[in-house]
Amino acid sequence: MGRVETRKVERDEAGMRLDRWFRAHFPDVSFGHLQKLLRSGQIRVDGKRTRTNWRLEPGQSVRVPPLRTTDTLHRLAGPAGRSDILRDSLLYEDDAVLVFNKPAGLAVQGGSGLTRHVDAMLESWRDRKGQKPRLVHRLDRETSGVLVVAKMRLAASHLAAAFRRRSARKLYWALVAGLPKPRQRRISTWLARDRGGDGEKMIVSKHGSDEASHAVSHYSVVDHVGTSLSWLAMRPVTGRTHQLRAHAAHIGHPIVGDALYFNLNDWQLPGGIQNRLHLHARRIVIPHPGGGMIDVFAPLPAHMVQSWNLLGFDVDQEEAAEAVDAA
């Protein structure tokens, strides 16, 4: 496709989200490329800038610029190429910042003999000056979702400072056992490494304990299936290791598929749900190094989509992205 098109929204497309409309009309266009076109203003509805979750109305005009399909992106990556995994998971890119939807199971950095991780894959993303993109925060290996990377040293310094100042707003979605009460809550504890185990697990400790750090999280119940399973929107205020996982277990509602923190006896995984960590970094809002804000959403990984479909959860509940802030 090599020219700008204008398409009318049909009557039977009323209420359809813009990203789903594009998926229906242009199935080979990646979500990351779609977001880049929206942020640069190349896609417009009735001449106005918009976003992926915009609900369309019949008769509206959608401006469709020349589009790169997934196949085109792979060709542009070159033979040695940027990692296909990272290229396929790219959500946002500009001159200073990259945002990826990190797959579950992919480590961010090396360690314990790991050679396949995001930091190593970023070698193939060096620019013409040889600068390698820099990590500015972390996600657990089994946690999927938004991962922000700086393209240059100055941007890395700015973004890392934003995380330290807690001016980055992070939203996670989780599937937990049971139905938490109250349905919205602030969790405040001290966390320290469990020196009695292998050192990987964090435990709730007393204030003043050796190496304990204060950890604050908010959660809100978005939906639930009776009292057996609940979809939580979770927001970490601090950024401690395994914070949300440890806090979910601490309140008696561990995250489904969490091999370290799921501590309920005689609890059976419902049929059709995979025994994988159901924790996803859904959204990040962070100051851009050049001014303004970056606001990026990450689609759920396949195993969580399967669970959401099985449980009848509506992934399009946009109010879930904000409900946790009221906790």
Side-chain angles (χ1 to χ4, degrees), residues 51-182:
R51 56 188 297 176
T52 55
N53 64 348
W54 181 262
R55 300 284 179 175
L56 295 168
E57 298 177 6
Q60 287 184 318
S61 298
V62 181
R63 181 188 187 275
V64 182
L67 299 171
R68 288 181 180 177
T69 65
T70 303
D71 288 341
T72 304
L73 287 172
H74 281 306
R75 289 197 300 273
L76 291 174
R82 299 177 171 188
S83 162
D84 284 348
I85 294 174
L86 293 187
R87 171 58 68 187
D88 289 347
S89 64
L90 183 64
L91 296 174
Y92 174 85
E93 180 179 10
D94 60 29
D95 292 340
V97 180
L98 297 159
V99 183
F100 298 103
N101 184 11
K102 186 192 80 66
L106 177 64
V108 172
Q109 288 184 299
S112 303
L114 280 175
T115 57
R116 183 175 175 272
H117 50 83
V118 173
D119 194 38
M121 292 176 178
L122 289 172
E123 287 289 344
S124 62
W125 290 70
R126 289 184 181 273
D127 62 18
R128 293 178 181 177
K129 296 180 180 180
Q131 294 186 93
K132 175 187 168 184
R134 295 166 168 82
L135 299 167
V136 293
H137 72 125
R138 311 286 184 268
L139 290 177
D140 293 342
R141 181 176 180 179
E142 297 304 326
T143 301
S144 58
V146 284
L147 181 71
V148 179
V149 175
K151 282 189 171 181
M152 56 196 74
R153 189 184 305 276
L154 186 61
S157 176
H158 179 99
L159 292 166
F163 281 106
R164 285 195 304 271
R165 293 193 307 266
R166 302 177 188 172
S167 54
R169 179 164 151 256
K170 296 176 283 184
L171 176 83
Y172 288 73
W173 282 1
L175 182 67
V176 303
L179 175 58
K181 293 182 180 179

Side-chain angles (χ1 to χ4, degrees), residues 25-37:
H25 289 270
F26 307 101
D28 292 331
V29 175
S30 72
F31 184 80
H33 185 48
L34 176 62
Q35 278 208 333
K36 287 165 63 178
L37 293 173

Side-chain angles (χ1 to χ4, degrees), residues 210-223:
D210 290 344
E211 300 181 16
S213 298
H214 190 212
V216 178
S217 306
H218 296 256
Y219 76 78
S220 179
V221 177
V222 180
D223 204 349

